[in-house]
Amino acid sequence: GLEPRAGSADAEQLKRAAAAEAAAEDLKAKRDGRAAAKTALDEASGALAAAKAASEQAEAAQKDGDEAFGKAGGRKERLEAALADDFAAVKANKGAPKIVKALLNVIGEFDFDAQLVDFAGEALARSPADRGTFDSFVTSELHAQLSSRIAGFAEVLANGEAAKADRDATCGAAAEAEKAAAAREAECEAALGIAAAALAEAEAAKKAADQAVKAFGPDMKQLDRDVVSAKDDLTHADTVLGVFRDLVDRETDTPPEPPVPLEGGADAAGGGAGAR
């Protein structure tokens, strides 16, 4: 079995080279696979971050909207009372300091323009006859903004239930999107782990294949030594076997028959003995 193997050295060399080439191609494919898995994970992580941000934004909008809806009725009534009572009184007549202050305090709760509030305080403290063009403009502007705020609260109340339902739906959809994005990221993390393990195996296989190619020469030399040694062993065995066969043949050969004595010889021998 050793001589045929030694005679197929070229085939063995080609086999190892082909295995190394296949291992190199597989290694490249596994590297590409790991890179693709890493890209997919990066994209999934980015999508999850965006989904979290959208979910947080939806929750904030839901909270603010629900809070605004809950307070809209009371704030509307407060502004309506201020417009119908205190503002109407100080607009028609010189406002008493306490009334003007109370009105400005109410207005201050609703984030009106600070300069407008200051100018309005000065204008409303004067009697209508003493108010100039700018005072009249300030008074009209304040009235317009009060009316606009009241209308805004009325719209919030009118659309409150529908808007709340929309906010709830948006918030729920954002939460589901975040959940799906998190699942996708976990899936990509698992895929990256599998790709990394496959890459490690491919790297080990490539290293082994390269070592096999590199070791081809020493392996062939060792094989030649093994063949020579085997031939020597066979020659020695043949020699020993030949000697053994000779010995066996000698032991099993039929010995030759002894010669038959002549009759005359026997009588002569007897006569000689009688003469003595």
Side-chain angles (χ1 to χ4, degrees):
L2 293 174
E3 286 185 312
R5 181 183 173 189
S8 63
D10 291 341
E12 177 65 20
Q13 186 175 20
L14 291 175
K15 178 182 177 182
R16 295 189 185 192
E21 183 178 355
E25 292 177 356
D26 184 62
L27 177 59
K28 182 180 182 302
K30 294 301 190 295
R31 284 174 176 167
D32 292 343
R34 185 191 180 284
K38 181 64 170 61
T39 298
L41 177 58
D42 291 342
E43 292 176 353
S45 297
L48 177 58
K52 285 183 177 180
S55 182
E56 291 173 358
Q57 184 177 0
E59 289 176 356
Q62 183 186 44
K63 180 180 178 181
D64 293 343
D66 291 349
E67 184 177 353
F69 177 65
K71 294 180 178 180
R75 292 167 74 85
K76 175 176 176 289
E77 291 177 0
R78 189 165 175 75
L79 284 180
E80 285 176 336
L83 180 63
D85 299 333
D86 293 343
F87 180 79
V90 297
K91 181 180 178 182
N93 302 288
K94 178 179 179 179
K98 288 185 178 180
I99 298 178
V100 173
K101 184 177 181 180
L103 175 61
L104 296 181
N105 286 338
V106 173
I107 293 173
E109 296 175 6
F110 294 88
D111 298 325
F112 280 75
D113 182 78
Q115 283 189 329
L116 176 62
V117 174
D118 291 340
F119 291 144
E122 297 175 2
L124 295 175
R126 300 186 182 98
S127 63
D130 294 334
R131 295 169 187 163
T133 303
F134 182 73
D135 293 334
S136 297
F137 167 77
V138 169
T139 304
S140 297
E141 182 63 20
L142 181 59
H143 182 278
Q145 290 201 19
L146 283 168
S147 299
S148 177
R149 295 293 180 92
I150 292 170
F153 288 131
E155 183 177 0
V156 169
L157 292 171
N159 301 324
E161 292 299 333
K164 186 178 187 307
D166 288 341
R167 288 192 300 273
D168 291 345
T170 300
C171 195
E176 287 298 321
E178 181 181 354
K179 182 179 179 181
R184 173 59 180 166
E185 184 187 48
E187 177 184 336
C188 289
E189 286 179 345
L192 178 58
I194 294 173
L199 176 58
E201 292 180 0
E203 288 174 341
K206 177 64 167 58
K207 183 177 180 181
D210 290 343
Q211 288 176 343
V213 171
K214 185 178 180 181
F216 176 76
D219 284 351
M220 290 301 100
K221 290 181 180 180
Q222 181 61 46
L223 183 60
D224 289 341
R225 290 192 293 269
D226 292 343
V227 169
V228 172
S229 177
K231 284 182 177 179
D232 292 342
D233 291 342
L234 288 173
T235 300
H236 178 70
D238 288 341
T239 301
V240 173
L241 182 59
V243 173
F244 177 75
R245 285 176 176 171
D246 288 342
L247 292 174
V248 171
D249 290 342
R250 290 176 185 178
E251 291 178 359
T252 57
D253 284 344
T254 302
E257 295 182 359
V260 178
L262 297 176
E263 294 181 359
D267 292 340
R276 285 187 190 99

